[in-house]
Each structure stands twice: as structure tokens, then as C-alpha cells.
Amino acid sequence: MKNYLELKNVTFRYGAEVIVEQLDFAVKKGEFVVLIGPSGCGKSTLLSLAAGLVKPETGEVLMDGERLDGPTLKTSVIFQHNSLFPWMTVEKNVRFGLKQAKPELSKKKQKERSLKALGQVGLLEAAKKYPAELSGGMQQRTAIARMLAMDSALLLLDEPFAAIDPKRRGELQTLITELWQRGRENGEKKTVLFVTHDIDEAILLADRIVYFGKRGVLKEIEVSLERPRRAENLAGSGCFCGLRKELVDLFSREEAE
């Protein structure tokens, strides 16, 4: 399987602080990779590098074999704090991203696609509201709807469900994995890089879990659990319990150092 995203010998600093150093990292086309690890270890920075939002001090970032020198419409990004335009309605926020990514679509098609995406995240009734009228979780679901409408090849998600209630969180986990799986089945593979602090979420979603420590990548773990996966069915699985223990041990080891 071909690599879709590659970071080669990448170093990045905030001021004098080294965030990632001489990092080599790759995600294959169509792969669902989850990054996990303690706060401050560079997971969000890696997503910013992958999105072209920041440039490495040394090394290079490649997307589909080409050097990435800035943001691209092939990528959709959702960070912990949504970036909605407060003067636009929910529907127009979703349509704005779609308009940039798919300018060839008619206004009618853009609106239809935006409303469909809002329906997928349970926000169709809020289409005419403004971000200030929504809860934090609803604002984040609006950002997810924008990502769904854009239908990008590379999805970068930084704890997108952290502010969402458990029931809706489970529904959105299922939605993201179904979107990804459909792409695999119809030949339009989507590549996903997903950051979380939630061990159970990581196991539920990932093909591969990459554990980031204070010194970079400490371990990569393949997740061989069959798909489709449901959280309620995993708890009794020996494979799930083994993976969970391995990740808990990694966190404990980092905290002890």
C-alpha cells in the first residue's frame, strides 16, 4: 500500500522549545491511524505539519509523493477548538468549506450537500442558527459536518469528539468509520490521522495506533480487530483487553519517568 502522507526527518520548534525532532512518520493511503500519548508530546503539532499550517525547521512533509508547502484543499482539518465564522449561519459555515473545495458545484448542489452533512451529525434543525446560539458540542458537530461535506482525501482530526456527550460521541465515531469504510469499498480511499487521549476510542477506530512520548514515537501497534466495530461488543474481547493494557502501561511508564 502506497504512503499518502510522509514526514521525513522533520524538526519543529516553538521558540527555543523543540516539539518534534528528526521525526520520520508515514501514513499509507486509505489507512486509519490514531495518535495517542500524553499532553505536550507533539501530536497536535504533527497534525499542523501534515495540514501545511506550519512548516518544519528541517526535513520535509510529502502528500501523495509531492512536497507540501502550505494548506491544500485535498485535506480537511478539525482541531480541538472549532474555527466557525460567527457571522455565518451553521449551514453557511458548512457551505463555505464546500465552496472552497468544490467550486464546480452549483449553489443548489452545495446547499443540498451541506444540509445532508448537517443531517448526518444531527444538526439539520440548527441550520439557520449562528455559532453563538450553539453549545460547544454542537459547534464541533458543525465543524465535522463541514468536513463531511468537503469529502476530502485526507482527514486530520484533533480530539474532535472531546466536547461531545457520550451518546452523540458514539454516533459520530460510527459515522466517521462508516465514511472511511465506504471510501475503501468504492475505490475512493480516505486517509485518516486522528488524535485522541481516549484509549478505548483509539482501539475502536484505528488500523494502527502510534504512541507518542516525550521523545517522539515510542511504539506502533497494529489493531487486528475485525470491522465493523462497536464499542459495546469490544469490552469482552481478549484482543481489546490486551491492547488496552499495553496502552495503559505505556502511559504509566511515561508518567513514572
Side-chain angles (χ1 to χ4, degrees):
M1 196 185 301
K2 180 183 176 184
N3 286 335
Y4 191 75
L5 176 69
E6 293 180 88
L7 281 73
K8 294 186 174 182
N9 196 33
V10 165
T11 295
F12 182 82
R13 305 169 192 263
Y14 282 126
E17 184 181 3
V18 177
I19 307 298
V20 293
E21 186 171 17
Q22 295 181 327
L23 175 66
D24 289 308
F25 178 79
V27 180
K28 296 187 181 301
K29 187 173 179 63
E31 192 177 19
F32 200 127
V33 174
V34 173
L35 305 179
I36 196 166
S39 297
C41 63
K43 303 184 301 297
S44 295
T45 299
L46 193 153
L47 255 65
S48 292
L49 287 161
L53 297 174
V54 297
K55 293 185 179 181
E57 181 179 314
T58 64
E60 61 180 355
V61 180
L62 303 175
M63 182 184 295
D64 206 14
E66 297 183 2
R67 185 183 177 109
L68 185 65
D69 291 317
T72 167
L73 293 174
K74 295 179 181 178
T75 300
S76 289
V77 189
I78 299 179
F79 289 109
Q80 293 172 346
H81 305 292
N82 66 75
S83 54
L84 303 180
F85 298 112
W87 59 87
M88 291 185 182
T89 64
V90 164
E91 188 269 322
K92 286 184 178 178
N93 262 284
V94 174
R95 204 195 314 176
F96 179 84
L98 179 57
K99 184 179 179 180
Q100 305 307 306
K102 310 280 184 183
E104 70 277 7
L105 292 179
S106 67
K107 288 184 179 179
K108 180 181 178 182
K109 286 290 184 184
Q110 288 174 7
K111 184 167 185 176
E112 288 174 355
R113 198 151 153 177
S114 299
L115 292 175
K116 179 182 177 182
L118 286 170
Q120 287 177 300
V121 300
L123 283 180
L124 193 56
E125 293 182 359
K128 294 183 178 180
K129 292 186 176 182
Y130 289 87
E133 301 177 85
L134 307 180
S135 67
M138 292 171 76
Q139 290 177 18
Q140 192 69 327
R141 279 191 276 150
T142 302
I144 293 168
R146 184 167 57 194
M147 181 198 73
L148 295 174
M150 288 173 67
D151 196 28
S152 303
L154 176 63
L155 310 181
L156 304 173
L157 302 102
D158 189 351
E159 297 199 72
F161 309 142
I164 297 173
D165 66 84
K167 180 179 182 296
R168 186 67 69 181
R169 182 173 186 150
E171 292 171 355
L172 291 172
Q173 287 169 341
T174 299
L175 178 62
I176 291 293
T177 50
E178 286 179 348
L179 171 75
W180 170 79
Q181 189 70 44
R182 281 199 304 272
R184 270 193 165 185
E185 291 167 357
N186 65 22
E188 297 176 359
K189 292 182 179 179
K190 295 189 181 301
T191 305
V192 181
L193 189 56
F194 189 107
V195 171
T196 184
H197 281 93
D198 188 314
I199 288 173
D200 291 355
E201 182 171 69
I203 299 170
L204 176 68
L205 298 177
D207 285 332
R208 177 166 55 104
I209 298 172
V210 179
Y211 185 92
F212 261 71
K214 297 169 186 174
R215 297 177 300 279
V217 176
L218 288 188
K219 192 158 189 179
E220 299 191 25
I221 302 169
E222 299 292 332
V223 181
S224 58
L225 291 161
E226 290 186 6
R227 296 185 186 271
R229 301 172 191 162
R230 293 290 181 269
E232 60 270 21
N233 299 331
L234 290 181
S237 160
C239 180
F240 172 83
C241 293
L243 289 168
R244 197 177 196 287
K245 182 179 184 306
E246 186 173 3
L247 289 166
V248 169
D249 288 346
L250 284 167
F251 271 101
S252 299
R253 198 180 311 157
E254 282 281 290
E255 289 173 2
E257 292 182 358

